[in-house]
Amino acid sequence: RAGASGNIASETVARATPDGYTILLATLPNAVNESLYKNFKYPFSEHFVPIGLVAQTSNVLVVHPSIQANTVSELIALAKTKPGDILYATAGKATATHFAAELFNMMAGVKMMPVHYKGGGETIKDLVSGEVKVMFSTIPPVLGFVRDGSLRGLGTTGLKRDAALPDLPTIAEAGVNGYSLTLWFGLAAPAGTPRDVVEKISGALKQALNSSDTQAALAKQGYEPLGGTPEEFATFMRSEIEKWAKLVPVIGTIGD
């Protein structure tokens, strides 16, 4: 049940029978939405039981070749001379592509302005054509364009360099100290799901992530397997909720 930055899925799972047969694939917006939406109805800690983290990937800061910036530092310098003039693309408001750019704005002390699209296809098309100049894209859709020079990669958003683009520094390495964003995925069940059911699914997830076939499939799409216990996912989720609550005053809340 996709849509509404994960809120449709959250509502569906929160209301489901807690028997282990309806599972939420939680991701970054599930942590941000608690602060982003004024009337948010399904806080994670109240309505879900963590099962385990699945995988994560970085975004990549890419620019059209017409932008006079070959490094993150040069982009920051350019943006400071033109506050509000540089437009960046997103795959929609309250998506990881949006959060990554606003976190960059806040930490780098710049003001690039968003152009929100409805999904990624038209976004990448306009980015390559130069209609918009900057994007914090997920890696797979732009990897070929970076490699052939249609787009210029400046840095990746994770805590360490991405295996798909090992020559690019992280944005933190490139000068924005402390910057990090990973697009992560984890499994959660409705609140009230019995502990033995949670442990059974968690064990199956661990077994799957230890499979060489699963690891290869994830790596092909640019994802790093994670895993871990339900308790570790719960701790991680709390840290993500707290982190992104600091950014919401910059973005502004959403009414529904």
Side-chain angles (χ1 to χ4, degrees):
R1 301 291 184 88
S5 297
N7 286 333
I8 293 173
S10 293
E11 180 176 357
T12 300
V13 177
R15 292 181 172 183
T17 302
D19 56 8
Y21 287 95
T22 306
I23 301 297
L24 177 69
L25 182 64
T27 187
L28 176 62
N30 293 100
V32 183
N33 289 349
E34 295 200 19
S35 301
L36 187 65
Y37 286 84
K38 291 180 181 178
N39 302 310
F40 191 68
K41 298 177 181 178
Y42 299 101
F44 191 86
S45 61
E46 297 177 23
H47 293 274
F48 301 98
V49 178
I51 294 172
L53 285 162
V54 178
Q56 66 180 6
T57 187
S58 299
N59 282 18
V60 58
L61 169 56
V62 290
V63 299
H64 188 266
S66 62
I67 284 278
Q68 300 300 305
N70 293 302
T71 66
V72 171
S73 296
E74 289 178 2
L75 179 63
I76 292 171
L78 181 64
K80 286 184 175 179
T81 67
K82 299 180 178 182
D85 287 353
I86 296 177
L87 304 180
Y88 71 85
T90 84
K93 189 169 185 178
T95 62
T97 55
H98 184 201
F99 301 143
E102 288 300 331
L103 183 64
F104 182 84
N105 273 344
M106 182 174 70
M107 296 186 69
V110 298
K111 190 59 179 176
M112 300 186 294
M113 301 300 293
V115 179
H116 298 303
Y117 287 76
K118 294 182 178 179
E122 287 298 314
T123 311
I124 303 302
K125 178 182 175 183
D126 283 1
L127 186 66
V128 172
S129 70
E131 291 293 319
V132 287
K133 307 293 188 182
V134 179
M135 187 176 181
F136 284 77
S137 175
T138 51
I139 291 176
V142 298
L143 185 58
F145 296 115
V146 171
R147 287 174 173 168
D148 71 15
S150 300
L151 295 173
R152 183 183 303 131
L154 301 186
T156 52
T157 65
L159 291 170
K160 60 183 181 180
R161 294 195 180 200
D162 195 278
L165 293 165
D167 293 334
L168 287 187
T170 67
I171 291 173
E173 278 184 294
V176 186
N177 293 332
Y179 182 98
S180 70
L181 176 143
T182 55
L183 180 60
W184 51 265
F185 297 89
L187 299 184
T193 300
R195 179 67 187 184
D196 63 328
V197 173
V198 171
E199 290 180 349
K200 183 174 183 179
I201 301 171
S202 179
L205 174 61
K206 180 179 179 181
Q207 183 178 2
L209 292 175
N210 285 335
S211 160
S212 58
D213 288 344
T214 301
Q215 292 172 5
L218 289 170
K220 186 176 181 180
Q221 300 178 69
Y223 290 98
E224 174 190 359
L226 291 174
T229 66
E231 290 74 21
E232 288 169 336
F233 183 19
T235 298
F236 174 82
M237 191 67 171
R238 285 193 296 270
S239 69
E240 285 287 282
I241 291 169
E242 292 170 2
K243 172 182 177 176
W244 293 104
K246 298 174 184 177
L247 181 63
V248 166
V250 179
I251 299 176
T253 55
I254 296 174
D256 296 329

